Amino acid sequence: MDSPKTETEPGKLVNLKPTVAPDAKTAAQLYPAEYWYAMLKVPEKNEFPGTGPSGNGISPNIKTQDQWLHLIKTDSCESCHQLGNQYTRTIPALFAKLDSPAQQWLRRVRSGQAGNAMTGGLGQLGPERATQLFGDWTDRIAHGALPTSAPPRPQGVERNVVITQWDWADPKAYLHDEISTDKRNPKVNANGLIYGSPEESRDYLPVLDPVHNAISQIKVPYRDPNTPGQPKPLEPSAVWGDEAIWDSHTTVHNPMFDERGRVWFTSRIRPPEDPAFCKAGSNLDSAKLTPLERSGRQLAVYDPATKQTSLINTCYGTHHLLFAHDANNTLWTSSGGGGGVVGWLNTKMWDQTHDEQKSQGWTALVLDTNGNGKRDVYVESEQRVLTAPSGESLGTSSAITTKPDPTKDTRLNAAFYGLGIAPDGMVWGSVLGFPGGIVRLNPGSHPPETALAEYYEVPWHNPKAAVSGFSPRGMDVDGNGVVWVVLGSGHLASFDRRKCKGPLNGPTATGQHCPEGWTLYPTPGPNFANLKESGSADSHYYDWVDQFDTLGLGKDVPISTANLQDGFAALK
């Protein structure tokens, strides 16, 4: 059990004495969420494909058990919430009087300003069966059911970890992300301020001074007064009633430091309709090749030296962002999965000219399926990735939607979610969906005209692969060019392109052509009781590679956000 709270001050020695829980029920209250979530009963394999409301209640669009799993994890249910914590494994009093546990769950997901999004996620699963299963889960817990396994005590270097934690926004905000340094050089901003992103909740950057234990805010402006805001609550919530607590227009998602100590971030500055310079008829090279009509989020940069924020109108949508190791300090961005392109900003040119049109570019993801080693005429693929209002993919689309023409290249029905840049300058991104995959983008000598992509699907039911996995989300690249990606199947996976045996272009290089490049590591913790083939029940949102050994665990150690373990999982 936790020791009692103790007031102290810097420099004073404190002896904290935790006590042993008196019984299993008391001890289980402190278990990480995964141990509780693993108690959820998952439909059996023979119940798929779903037969809909008049059958087994599972959506007919869900063809396999694994597809159902990827939706109850990070591609839907857990893209915003930790399931299995105390709040989600119990039913608030506001809903407890409804007729059945299933009705209680149907009502709880309709709560607040995320109600529409959560109801949509439930619809993907099939609300009849999903609410029955989640209701059964919380009902069994309410009647005393406990996790079937207990977490191990920390061992070895795990016992050396000390965490200092701050509340540094406000009670009605939430934080999606934060940044403390330049990923290319962790000496930038040493002991400096940390900047957060409150996404849908607030139009400010929360700022933490970890040295002086002080917090502040930087207001984030937007360019157009008609920039859309947040929806009204679909139904009253158990905490805030019918109050609309989120008021963000900018939906700041991901900040990143540059080498000068400026903070760049993805931010919505206008309505989604793109300006004329993005569309057909523009003289921009990217627009001539791939005209764009809409983008859900653009770019901004805050300079702590001048305390000024500059807004940059991009044609492409932004979600994550990352600086390249090149002379132009190119800022590559992902869109979250929608929009059909990958965009970049030449920040050197922007600093010199502040010309947001000439400084930006974007490209479609084109596979060299005719195998001639260059980008040329390609088979167009309708960009029909289903997305959330922010542009984030809902993970329900296939990247290959057309049969390759051996005489032409092929455009992917995809864009990047996660983002990483290899030492050789290649840009990698993850593609949400099932089974999902990763893309290697070679910009070439003159992007966008020369940009070529390679697509590698996660091996799923591939007879040449030792282990199956599915549904990537976050990703990073290590110092050797190996890609590390977290999977909805409960794995941390690596992909090493150097291990590929077959051709990497041509008509057969469309996803499942390099299973030997993948290695899948099951992540810690239990799995759902009736599952044997996937990893753990954990839901991994993102991962990064500690290229500089900042944590002392070793250079190039990949680290996953083990969301249901209340911590991180570092792979040694």
Side-chain angles (χ1 to χ4, degrees), residues 240-261:
W240 300 108
D242 57 6
E243 180 184 356
I245 63 170
W246 298 348
D247 57 11
S248 171
H249 298 77
T250 55
T251 70
V252 174
H253 184 267
N254 185 203
M256 194 65 64
F257 268 94
D258 68 11
E259 74 287 351
R260 292 166 50 181

Side-chain angles (χ1 to χ4, degrees), residues 62-105:
I62 309 297
K63 307 300 183 184
T64 69
Q65 184 188 64
D66 288 344
Q67 283 182 285
W68 198 87
L69 288 171
H70 100 97
L71 288 174
I72 68 162
K73 294 174 123 182
T74 45
D75 274 352
S76 183
C77 295
E78 292 188 84
S79 60
C80 293
H81 302 97
Q82 184 195 63
L83 287 170
N85 63 4
Q86 187 178 37
Y87 187 77
T88 57
R89 67 177 183 254
T90 56
I91 297 295
L94 180 65
F95 317 133
K97 295 181 181 179
L98 295 173
D99 292 343
S100 67
Q103 288 297 314
Q104 293 166 3
W105 267 89

Side-chain angles (χ1 to χ4, degrees), residues 69 76 81 138 142 252-253 255 266 348 388 391 403 449 458 490 521 569:
L69 288 171
S76 183
H81 302 97
T138 48
V252 174
H253 184 267
T266 56
K348 180 180 179 181
K403 186 176 181 180
E449 294 94 332
V458 181
Y521 302 88

Side-chain angles (χ1 to χ4, degrees), residues 195 205 218-221 223 250 252 254-269 298-314 318 321 323 329 331 345-348 350-351 354 356:
Y195 297 83
L205 301 181
I218 297 168
K219 183 174 176 59
V220 179
R223 196 176 280 184
T250 55
V252 174
N254 185 203
M256 194 65 64
F257 268 94
D258 68 11
E259 74 287 351
R260 292 166 50 181
R262 296 178 299 181
V263 184
W264 295 76
F265 50 96
T266 56
S267 183
R268 187 162 60 195
I269 70 172
Q298 296 77 42
L299 284 173
V301 55
Y302 172 73
D303 189 343
T306 63
K307 301 192 182 325
Q308 297 297 312
T309 300
S310 301
L311 306 180
I312 301 167
N313 195 359
T314 61
T318 64
L321 71 174
F323 281 99
N329 283 312
L331 183 63
L345 184 77
N346 181 332
T347 63
K348 180 180 179 181
W350 186 84
D351 280 333
H354 277 221
E356 61 188 10

